Structures are given as structure tokens and as C-alpha cells.
Amino acid sequence: MSSSATNRRATGFLVGFLLIALLIAGGLSYFASSDPDGLDSVTLSGCQLNADGEPAGGTCIARNAQDPATASSPLADYSVAGSDGTVGLAGVLGVVVTLVVAGGLFWVLRRRGEPSSGDDS
Amino acid sequence: MVVAMHMSDGLVTAPTAAVFGLIAVIGLAVAVSRARVDLDDRTAPMAGLVTAFVFAVQMINFPILPGASGHLLGGALVAILVGPWVGSLCIAIVLAVQALLFADGGLTALGTNIVNMALVGVFVGYAVALALRGLARRSRAGLVCTAFLAALINTVVAALAFVLEYAIGGAGGASLGTVLALMVGLHVLIGIGEGIITAATVGAVASVRPDLVHLLRGAPTLLHLRRSEDVPERSAS
């Protein structure tokens, strides 16, 4: 198979991978559970919770938790500017930012000027 | 809806947070210097996409018990796909983006979160996968089983890392025994979910691009895993 066909296949795989990530963050995120995760369940254990799921009485680890310094971020709490129903858009933006930051770092760090090492490295 | 998934500020004392922040910086510095070996024109874009994929999947909290959910940590997933050094950078970038942009996880807690998930989670997942590498390279089923077990164990050990931090400098609010029992119990259940997601993802990547699975590099059985009409021989390019 020619080199250009190989490159086409490689690009196709990467584009497919990205589309799956975008679909998960942009669509499946609407179906995610809103219950506290494992760590939050433990830190909230022992407290009574108010309607917002915040500790309102009792003794628990979460009583020591401080609001995040980045709480005023426009994407805080996985919403866009605090609007309801924007978790998908926030997720898509997060995927794009993560891809740019990580892809950029790894592209800069990569070994250059060597042929792809393939399966035997 | 997802709101917060990682450690907030204030759960451990400031000195404890500072010590684990320092450990995180040192660990990531070593990872940067070692990651180069595993990054080339072919694997660098893959590593970027794996990072974005982990961000996406971490948003999906799945129910584990009435009133409790879990989400992917991703340690074994990245370790198997892109190796432990690149993988720890993947998870650290996800955690940094989440803390800085999404207010998920505190800034002073970023060190503890990185140690738990990007360093402990990734390297425990990698150690399990490495121990089972013979199985993983034998067949697709072996690879999927390896991914499941590595992910299950990375989840529980990452949870234990939080318990250790709480034991060293917890801000209080619950006894250490309670924290240990609840963290382990819940994260065994979360680890099963993490195992299923990791096994499915690694299995899917291996079915189309086994050459992009770090754990399979150099495997003599690689040719049995790949479908010859899908993946051209490297030497032909």
C-alpha cells in the first residue's frame, strides 16, 4: 500500500477518534448521573444536604471544602456562562481546548527527523 | 449534569497540599523528560486525542449505587495506549484544564489530584498491564482482560492515595477508618465501570490500529491481532 494511502488511513482513524470524543462530551454528557461521585460521596458522608447537594448540617469532610478559586470561570461547573442545558457545548469546548493543549505539547516534545519507529521500538 | 469530580481546596491542610504539589511537579518534570522517547510524528497526535478523549469520558458519571456515581479516572487507559510517561502528562493536562476552566478540583488541590490520578493511577495501571503483558499480547481477549484488571486496580489504588493524603494531613470531618472503608468500597464499584470503559476503548483501538497501542509494541503476536486488509505493513510505506 502506498504511503499516501497509509496517511489517509491514519488521518481517518484520528478524525474518527475525535468525533467520538466530541459526541461523548457534547451529547452523552446530558445523560450523565448528577449524583455525587465516589470521592464526593465520601466527603459528604455524615452531613445532611440541602437542595443544592451542599452540606447543611452534621459533620463531614466536605465542610472544610472551599469554593474553587476559578468559580467565576465562564465554563465553571461544565456550563457556558452558568446557563442551564449548556453542558454539551461546554464539553465540546473542553475537548477542543484539551486537544490543542495536549496535542501542542506532545507535538513540541516529539522526536523529530527520525522515521516512525513502528512496531519494533 | 456534572458539577465537580475531583478534590476541592481545603480537604487536606495547606502544608500537605504543598508537599503533594511538589511531588506532582517533580513527577511531571520526570515525565516530560521521559515522554520524548514515546512521542513521534505518529504517536504525538494519538496522545493528544487520547487526552481529549479522557476529558470527554470523565464527564460521564455513571451510577454505581442509589445516590452515588463514578467516572473514569483513565490511568490504565492512557498507560496502555500511549505509555506511562506520556499518559501521566495526558491526565495532568485533563486535570489542569478541569481546574482552570471548569472549576472542577481546587487549584491548591491540583497537586494531590495529579499525584492520585496522573501519577499513582497511571503507573499502577501500567504496572498491572506490564505484569500481564504476555496475556495481553496473546489474543484480543487477553488484551481486553488485561485492560479491565489494570483499570480496576488503578481506580482502587488512586482512591487509596487520597486516603493516604487524608491520613497525613486531612482537615478532619470523618475518621480515617470510615474514609478508608468508604473510599475502597465505592471505588471497587467505580473500578468495574472504569474496567469496562477501558477494556472497550483499548479493544476498539486494537481492532483498527494495534500499532497505536503502546502495550502491544514489539509484540510478536501483533500480526494475529491486526486484520491484514486494514493495516498496511510498515515496511511498505
Side-chain angles (χ1 to χ4, degrees), chain A residues 9-10 14 17 21 32-38 40 64-66 70 73 75 77-78 106 109-111 116 119 121, chain B residues 1 4-5 9-10 36-37 39 41-42 49 56 61 69 71 98-99 101-104 171-172 209 217-218 226 230:
Chain A
R9 271 203 88 263
L14 296 176
F17 204 175
S33 168
S34 56
D35 287 330
D37 71 1
D40 282 339
N64 300 306
Q66 295 148 13
T70 53
S73 161
L75 291 174
D77 296 337
Y78 297 88
F106 296 140
L109 286 178
R110 82 192 192 286
R111 289 177 291 120
S116 192
D119 301 329
S121 58
Chain B
M1 271 294 278
M5 308 184 292
D9 293 328
R36 277 179 68 81
V37 178
L39 290 168
D41 288 356
R42 199 170 50 91
L49 279 166
N61 282 53
S69 71
H71 61 79
Q98 287 169 333
L101 290 184
F102 294 89
D104 181 9
R209 290 296 302 273
R217 287 194 325 185
R226 57 168 55 163
D230 277 356

Side-chain angles (χ1 to χ4, degrees), chain B residues 7 25 48 62 69-70 77 85-86 99 102 134 176 181 186 224 227 231-232 236:
Chain B
M7 282 175 71
V25 167
F62 48 84
S69 71
L77 177 65
W85 303 110
V86 177
F102 294 89
L176 187 59
L186 289 171
H224 300 303
R227 288 174 293 171
V231 181

Side-chain angles (χ1 to χ4, degrees), chain B residues 199-223:
Chain B
T201 306
V202 170
V205 173
S207 69
V208 283
R209 290 296 302 273
D211 59 309
L212 284 179
V213 178
H214 186 276
L215 191 68
L216 297 180
R217 287 194 325 185
T221 56
L222 196 55
L223 290 173

